[in-house]
Amino acid sequence: MRILVAGGAGYIGSHTIVELYTKGHTVVCVDNLYNAKLSAIKNVEKIVKKQIPFYKVDCCDKKKLETVFKKEKFDAVIMFQGYKAVGESVKIPIKYYRNNLDSALTIIELMDKYNVHNIMFSSSATVYGKNAKSPIKETDDALRLNDITNPYGETKAMIEKILMDKAAADSKFKAVILRYFNPVGAHESALIGEDPNGIPNNLMPYIAKVATGKLPYLNVYGNDYKTKDGTGVRDYIHVVDLAKGHVAALKCYKSKKQNLFVYNLGTGNGTSVLDLVKAYEKANKLKVKYKIVGRRAGDVDKLYCKPTKANKELGWMAKLDIESMCESSYNFENKK
Ligand code: WQD
């Protein structure tokens, strides 16, 4: 299939492009490079040994994005684009709503105009809200906008709703919604990985900076949660497994029975902050200094999924373990 990857220069997007090429698909990548670097696409080209058509386009810019739809033909669109920092979204909510909703609506309208009927959306476990009980199943009553803890998560839930309503109104339109748990790690080449600008918000890239001496120590946000060691538990999934989940989900477009698909992409295992620190130290034979500090607003005790629906229906299962997540994260950070 020929696929438009919106936000393809980003962390998940770049790893997904690698796996798409590995399975014989071809890609056109659009990205405004607001939170990504063109070097990521160049490195993807090195890995897949192919030229990747790239357009520096902001997906909110309908006129400019339309030139890409005019020039290229697509069988499907994968939407990775969007702002994604939970804490930042609380501070600048309107920027998040404008950018994330506007870019998604612009893409969907252009898909309609150019007869592209297959979409895949990068959603997040955050849509389950703070009261969800782990292990979380897709059938749980998600999209309870009232108990999602941040505007970032609400934009994800709203875009899911937009896709569900569009699929209900248009049987030709096929939407696949993938709810990521906590993507971490990097491609084995260490050419691409998680490379946020500035101080990382997320745990794994922060540990990577401490492990490589770029930051003095990790702040562990609270050790009084209802978990085995008091620190937050999450479902960490290797970004390569996550990328493969997208390729596996392409089979949904062949379905004659339904045109809306929702899957959790996670391992089903919960790992605490301190467990991850220990795994990082063991995998890379080093010490990670940390300090226990107060809780971070919006955090929940536990968040991990039941991945059985994706396992069964997509024939996909996360295979890479915590050790390889930690090793690949360190190798990438060290090589940057
Ligand atoms: C994990 C655990 C923290 C940083 C978010 C988004 C989700 C997705 C992944 C985009 C928690 C603890 C963290 C630190 C710490 N983002 N922590 N010190 O919050 O589970 O999920 O990122 O798609 O949508 O919600 O990920 O890595 O920030 O936190 O102790 O410096 O690590 O309290 O328990 P989170 P995270």
Side-chain angles (χ1 to χ4, degrees):
M1 291 175 86
R2 188 152 179 75
I3 300 172
L4 172 65
V5 180
Y11 175 41
I12 320 283
S14 54
H15 286 81
T16 302
I17 292 175
V18 169
E19 298 309 324
L20 286 168
Y21 271 93
T22 309
K23 288 289 181 208
H25 302 287
T26 59
V27 156
V28 170
C29 176
V30 291
D31 200 305
N32 63 2
L33 301 181
Y34 170 83
N35 191 24
K37 302 178 180 85
L38 185 57
S39 56
I41 293 299
K42 295 297 160 215
N43 286 329
V44 171
E45 289 180 332
K46 278 189 208 140
I47 297 169
V48 301
K49 298 184 181 47
K50 293 258 181 4
Q51 283 276 324
I52 298 175
F54 174 80
Y55 297 84
K56 187 173 182 293
V57 171
D58 183 329
C59 292
C60 297
D61 180 343
K62 193 165 190 175
K63 214 156 150 303
K64 202 152 175 221
L65 185 59
E66 182 158 13
T67 62
V68 180
F69 274 82
K70 272 206 183 88
K71 198 164 158 236
E72 308 274 357
K73 272 229 47 66
F74 304 118
D75 301 307
V77 176
I78 304 183
M79 289 204 301
F80 291 108
Q81 90 291 347
Y83 298 152
K84 61 160 206 170
V86 167
E88 183 188 58
S89 77
V90 177
K91 295 190 193 109
I92 46 171
I94 304 306
K95 205 167 147 64
Y96 268 68
Y97 286 118
R98 168 56 68 193
N99 180 67
N100 292 7
L101 299 180
D102 195 348
S103 57
L105 287 166
T106 302
I107 288 170
I108 296 166
E109 286 175 337
L110 287 171
M111 285 175 68
D112 268 355
K113 185 168 178 183
Y114 289 87
N115 292 314
V116 183
H117 305 297
N118 301 321
I119 194 165
M120 193 174 285
F121 174 53
S122 153
S123 189
S124 164
T126 359
V127 302
Y128 287 112
K130 63 181 179 299
N131 301 323
K133 291 274 159 290
S134 292
I136 300 175
K137 295 191 301 300
E138 293 84 349
T139 46
D140 289 356
D141 165 22
L143 308 191
R144 287 186 303 272
L145 290 183
N146 54 343
D147 69 358
I148 291 179
T149 57
N150 57 81
Y152 155 78
E154 291 191 352
T155 64
K156 291 293 186 184
M158 288 175 184
I159 296 165
E160 285 201 14
K161 203 73 188 73
I162 289 166
L163 293 173
M164 289 170 181
D165 291 347
K166 167 76 177 153
D170 172 2
S171 57
K172 285 199 315 304
F173 188 77
K174 286 186 177 157
V176 178
I177 294 170
L178 301 177
R179 292 172 180 162
Y180 307 162
F181 279 71
N182 287 56
V184 291
H187 187 263
E188 60 189 1
S189 64
L191 286 170
I192 52 175
E194 188 164 13
D195 191 11
N197 300 331
I199 307 276
N201 291 301
N202 294 132
L203 178 63
M204 189 68 127
Y206 203 106
I207 292 177
K209 294 256 189 237
V210 175
T212 51
K214 297 167 190 167
L215 285 169
Y217 59 84
L218 168 72
N219 294 295
V220 175
Y221 295 141
N223 65 347
D224 57 353
Y225 287 103
K226 291 193 281 307
T227 61
K228 71 177 182 75
D229 60 16
T231 62
V233 168
R234 296 292 183 273
D235 184 335
Y236 297 99
I237 176 171
H238 197 297
V239 66
V240 171
D241 275 331
L242 185 68
K244 287 180 176 167
H246 290 73
V247 181
L250 291 174
K251 66 166 65 75
C252 296
Y253 299 129
K254 293 199 185 85
S255 167
K256 300 258 179 294
K257 294 200 308 296
Q258 61 187 100
N259 69 334
L260 176 68
F261 305 83
V262 183
Y263 297 105
N264 288 334
L265 292 188
T267 65
N269 305 320
T271 303
S272 76
V273 176
L274 293 181
D275 279 347
L276 196 64
V277 169
K278 284 185 201 105
Y280 210 98
E281 293 178 328
K282 185 162 170 268
N284 299 303
K285 300 180 185 54
L286 48 78
K287 286 311 278 171
V288 173
K289 256 187 91 190
Y290 66 85
K291 275 187 187 153
I292 306 282
V293 296
R295 290 185 173 194
R296 178 176 68 175
D299 276 345
V300 295
D301 303 61
K302 280 189 273 250
L303 195 60
Y304 55 94
C305 78
K306 216 169 180 40
T308 39
K309 191 179 173 208
N311 303 155
K312 261 204 320 283
E313 295 182 15
L314 303 180
W316 166 88
M317 180 172 275
K319 293 198 169 65
L320 298 164
D321 61 13
I322 285 277
E323 188 175 351
S324 73
M325 295 177 208
C326 294
E327 233 170 350
S328 60
S329 155
Y330 182 66
N331 292 343
F332 172 71
E333 189 61 36
N334 238 354
K335 189 164 178 183
K336 265 173 34 180

